[in-house]
Amino acid sequence: MEESNTKLTKKGGGRLCCICNQRRAALKRPKTLEQICRECFYEVFEEEIHQVIVDNQLFKPGERIAIGASGGKDSTVLACVLAELNRRHNYGLDLFLLSVDEGITGYRDDSLETVKRNEVQYGLPLKIVSYKDLYGWTMDEIVKMIGLKNNCTFCGVFRRQALDRGASLLKVDKVATGHNADDIAETVLLNILRGDIARLSRCTSIVTGEDGPIPRCKPFKYTYEKEIVMYAYFKRLDYFSTECIYSPNAYRGFAREFIKDLERIRPRAILDIIKSGEDFRISTSTKMPEQGTCERCGYISSQKWCKACVLLEGLNRGLPKMGIGRSSRGLNNDPKKDKYMKQGNGTKSIENKQCGSLDF
Amino acid sequence: MQLTLEFGGGLELLCESVKIHKVNVDPPNGPEKFIMKDLLSWVRTNLIKERPEMFMKGDSVRPGVLVLVNDCDWELSGQLDTTLEDKDVVVFISTLHGG
Ligand SMILES: [Zn+2]
Ligand SMILES: [Zn+2]
Ligand SMILES: [Zn+2]
């Protein structure tokens, strides 16, 4: 450590932190372009998130909160920071880790090992819900049946619902997810590219699903991915970073790359895209679907059967294409309710983040 | 010149899942001037075994790959122009994998 310090000074990279003016700067903040040292970085990183939590009243004292935990960088840093802020600022929260086991050999089983270590490292009780228990199918079995096309539809729909079911088993008041500013900017772009104004206005909300069983919130809405990864690196946090073996969503990949290219030229672009997404809300007159419950399983649904039940029915009847793509043939043909689908251009829902990474 | 190169955030998968590489590099323009730009092309030729486009774009790293030289963000030291010295530690971390 000593050695590398002298070396850096020699190299001319030893500029001082612009906050404390004492220690050597360790990174350039994308949000502000400030050059700051490691210690000041921890401080501003954590306190900015605290400020977002306070300003948006994300939590109330005494609440039970599940952190959607994939073992990846975002949710690992979220667990670490929320545990720390809860102590430091006396939020009075009962925090839990909640993970979904999709049943993907060599991917999820490994990342769950990371989450199990996080349980010990942060002292947060862990609950794992599995596709196999909930639906009778693992992702490996589903892929064997349907092949590699469309498997992300299953993953996205099942995971979203699995998380809700896990959350209700834990009796939590809210689920916090690790979606960061880059993720949200990317989703704004994708929704614009698809002309999906209903989702465009929802995707920038810091709290969603308040009308559903369990609301979700995004404490990292304004947190840059670069800073999350730097934080995890400097603190030597234990996270898992292998791509889901069933993943690729090419369209999302391009949007991701575009955002990263923009960020290199002008890092503020990420916050500006989020801002644009928020402002679009004003002019939208698109009707949101009526919320009812699934006749089969009782989960919230704007149609007769929820998406998971439609997909599951297809799997169990050996017709795995059922429920994929345009409106689900046969099972949900209420013309009034179908209207929303058409307004949304009949496109599949854009899952937040590609399959295998944490998207709820 | 002896360097320690570390790959993380999934980039290790491009170099046979080995995270830390202790390497000896012969600076092509003499020992006085070896910069990150030279190192990147050396890494691409000598360490990256698959999907180089996940690591590089043009003559720099792919946007979304973070670089630290002796635990300092390379955006503070001149990025591609950062001069390297014997025993430096260079870390590459992808931010693009998983959440
Ligand atoms: Zn400082
Ligand atoms: Zn998937
Ligand atoms: Zn259902």
Side-chain angles (χ1 to χ4, degrees), chain B residues 61-82:
Chain B
V61 291
R62 181 179 174 193
V65 172
L66 305 181
V67 184
L68 296 104
V69 180
N70 299 331
D71 267 356
C72 177
D73 187 355
W74 81 330
E75 291 186 40
L76 296 178
S77 57
Q79 293 171 300
L80 287 174
D81 294 323
T82 309

Side-chain angles (χ1 to χ4, degrees), chain A residues 268-282:
Chain A
R268 272 214 56 100
I270 288 178
L271 287 182
D272 290 343
I273 291 170
I274 296 176
K275 178 80 169 57
S276 302
E278 287 171 343
D279 290 349
F280 261 108
R281 205 175 305 186
I282 303 160

Side-chain angles (χ1 to χ4, degrees), chain A residues 7 10-11 15 24 26-28 35 38 70 73-75 225-226 233 241 243 257 261 264 353 357, chain B residues 9-10 57 61-64 66 70-73 75-76 83 85-88 91 93 95 97-99:
Chain A
K7 209 139 62 127
K10 207 166 57 194
K11 186 176 294 187
R15 274 175 278 197
R24 180 173 65 80
L27 84 156
K28 188 168 174 184
Q35 310 185 357
R38 220 188 261 211
S70 66
K73 59 186 164 42
D74 300 307
S75 59
E225 190 156 67
K226 174 180 173 182
Y233 173 75
S241 54
E243 197 111 41
E257 184 129 3
D261 285 344
R264 182 170 280 182
K353 288 195 164 181
S357 64
Chain B
K57 185 169 178 177
V61 291
R62 181 179 174 193
L66 305 181
N70 299 331
D71 267 356
C72 177
D73 187 355
E75 291 186 40
L76 296 178
T83 306
E85 294 168 39
D86 194 40
K87 305 240 164 27
D88 276 348
V91 177
I93 313 170
T95 64
H97 282 186

